[in-house]
Amino acid sequence: NINPQRLWDSLMETAKFGGTVKGGIKRLTLSDEDKKVRDWFKAQCEALGCTVTVDEVGNMFAVRPGRNNELPPIAMGSHLDTQPTGGKFDGVLGVLGALEAMRTMHEQGYETNAPVEIVNWTNEEGSRYAPAMLASGVFAGVFTPQYAYERTDRDGVTFLDELERIGYRGVEKAGAHKFQAMFELHIEQGPILEDEKKMIGVVTGVQGMRWYEVTVTGQDAHTGATPMYLRKNALLGAARIIEAVDAVGQKHQPGVATVGLIENKPNSRNVVPGEVFFTIDLRHPDEEVLEVMEKEFRAALEDILPAMKLIYDEKRIWNSPAVKFAPELIECVEHGAEKAGFAMRKMVSGAGHDAAYIARVAPTTMIFVPCEGGLSHNEGESTSFDECAAGAQVLLNAVIEHDRR
Amino acid sequence: NINPQRLWDSLMETAKFGGTVKGGIKRLTLSDEDKKVRDWFKAQCEALGCTVTVDEVGNMFAVRPGRNNELPPIAMGSHLDTQPTGGKFDGVLGVLGALEAMRTMHEQGYETNAPVEIVNWTNEEGSRYAPAMLASGVFAGVFTPQYAYERTDRDGVTFLDELERIGYRGVEKAGAHKFQAMFELHIEQGPILEDEKKMIGVVTGVQGMRWYEVTVTGQDAHTGATPMYLRKNALLGAARIIEAVDAVGQKHQPGVATVGLIENKPNSRNVVPGEVFFTIDLRHPDEEVLEVMEKEFRAALEDILPAMKLIYDEKRIWNSPAVKFAPELIECVEHGAEKAGFAMRKMVSGAGHDAAYIARVAPTTMIFVPCEGGLSHNEGESTSFDECAAGAQVLLNAVIEHDRR
Ligand SMILES: NC(=O)NCCC(=O)O
Ligand SMILES: NC(=O)NCCC(=O)O
């Protein structure tokens, strides 16, 4: 059995790397805070006798040998980066829960058949560098390393420069490191488990998601001296699109549609805005409906903006199709939850996860635990001591079950 | 007669302080670029034998003695700061047109009865530090120096710190420096003169204007895992207010209503926005209608936001009532335009100007010249060689006429 207090202490200890006054974490990928938590994680794994390697996009692998080291390892992985106003559990619980499972095996001298490892995937959040799940995507062959290297944050700083700056550009080719299976423990980030009073979510897949970037161009003009009828107000155009995107989500529930990021230029109180950049996030479990949502969103751009004398540029920058996880791993999770005596339910993830890309190259699945009010990507994100412990226990049980089989 | 080429050359020379690739100027108040143009302006005035003084909020006064130096000077004033994507003429023409008038008098050894002076007012634009016309407002007793000092830009840097940093905090009390009249030459920033093929706008007043700040608070949440019906989307709320503000302007034309600045938090592609800050600019020549516009805007906040489970905080941060200029100075402008043979028309300014505040403490008026397409607060802002010259000539004529009377 895992040690719940040790897990909790590690969660609270690492929450200091980027800790915010509101009790959350701001630990954007490849920032100084990210370097600190990586260094800490490496030291902890090495203390357990693990070998830690880093690949060319900064993914970290901490391997504990098994009885038969010819067998590819069984991986437990998630991410240590956060949103700008992120919580203490999203991603972190998956890595530190895996660390706790590893510490438990180490402490009890438990020998697995295959090696077991922990993976910390780079830039899962996609907040600093879009798209999300970038480095697990490179690992899975969805993106080239070059593509990842060239991503820029909103200040124009590249992924490569930051990766080198914090000293986490490894030599190993992404994807060269092989494992036989991956389990990812994560908080649900939605309200279902809490609603139904279930401790464990047995995740059968991930919904499809698509990201877009739009730039609307009008004309900078004086707010006081420019009559209403002469304006080309890019922000007014953007406001109408924000409304239309929301309507697409409302219409296609349980699909969702959101504008999360907006940049207005010149952003001055007495200038009619001449240019607005914003992003759109569309998701649905069914790819066909997602296709309809995309069509409706694009039709809204075309219906609304030219009539306002605004021009626009739109690009789909990410398409992550719906994913189904490996039945044999799902069984291991169910077995692990049953053994520990936790109520569970099957569910599809609304959030994207590294597991969604890893599922393309290895049998993969996920374990969810509840979070208060379904709230995530929020500094107030909260998963209890017992829920964190339950997740780590089921992770350990599932890995041992898979190893045993 | 003024020297049009010398005026144009000075306009082009100073346009380099903060010049942008698109041919505009980014010379935010109290920035390094502002310091450079101030230093340049001081040197030019001193070369004409003027005495240059600076008051406690950075307003600069360059005085040329007259025959009777007991008489208070006649002032010609405007501003050298610009918008973040400003043009080469807004404000600058008023100061450099005055400099050209002064140079002409100097060159021809013309002696006025009263001293004549040029004023460069600090922070007219209000873009870096709201509200606009801040230091002419202090001069006129509308704001205290302390109020100005405490203004912060969007990065939290105070007016006082920047004023001291660039070395333009003078010792003279704002308002202690007296003048008998002020003429401000400016580009129209609207389309009327161009439309009617008139060279000179005889400005009879300035419309009323009010600025507001609104913060809408919802809840940061995951875009993928948060169902549409559970959201408190602050950006969607802001979008609806942007739409409502525009409708207020459309309804009360020739009034105008604009959201020019917006800041979204946490501004991440996969976070439902939890907090949005934005500003509103309402204007109308008739204070009673402006009052109605304010009521309608406030009603929109109350109708729209609470129903979306959003809370908000709203503050009126500026109220600059409609202004009427001094009839005797208006006559001098008409006389000056007639003498030079330019077609003119009377008009009310849609933009705010330092003259609007100075009118409270001294007889004041303004002279407008056309700008292409009525475009201002835009890097493409364009007033021709001949139009600039016409403005400076009428300014000189009006000052001489006023001095003669
Ligand atoms: N789990 C998680 O928050 N992932 C970020 C990617 C996304 O779903 O937007
Ligand atoms: N003239 C001018 O652009 N002034 C700025 C103040 C305002 O009207 O918004």
Side-chain angles (χ1 to χ4, degrees), chain B residues 314-375:
Chain B
E314 176 260 324
K315 232 190 350 252
R316 185 170 79 192
I317 61 147
W318 192 37
N319 181 4
S320 177
V323 171
K324 289 204 189 319
F325 287 141
E328 66 279 17
L329 269 65
I330 295 175
E331 273 174 34
C332 292
V333 171
E334 289 175 316
H335 181 275
E338 216 167 84
K339 195 171 150 203
F342 294 126
M344 65 184 121
R345 69 107 85 200
K346 287 195 172 164
M347 59 198 310
V348 171
S349 175
H353 295 285
D354 294 309
Y357 277 149
I358 300 311
R360 299 187 180 208
V361 290
T364 300
T365 198
M366 295 189 72
I367 303 158
F368 276 177
V369 290
C371 59
E372 206 179 300
L375 203 60

Side-chain angles (χ1 to χ4, degrees), chain A residues 78-79 81 83 90-91 123-127 131-133 184 186-189 206-207 209 211 281 283 318 349-354 366 368 376-377 381, chain B residues 222-225 269-271:
Chain A
S78 195
H79 60 97
D81 68 323
Q83 289 287 326
D90 170 2
N123 188 36
E124 192 271 349
E125 293 291 355
S127 181
M133 300 131 59
E184 180 170 4
H186 209 282
I187 61 168
E188 179 196 346
Q189 309 186 283
V206 178
Q207 70 177 340
M209 52 193 87
W211 282 7
D281 174 320
R283 309 195 188 197
W318 192 36
S349 175
H353 295 285
D354 295 309
M366 294 188 75
F368 275 177
S376 184
H377 287 190
E381 187 184 86
Chain B
H222 197 291
T223 56
R269 293 163 200 254
N270 43 4
V271 185

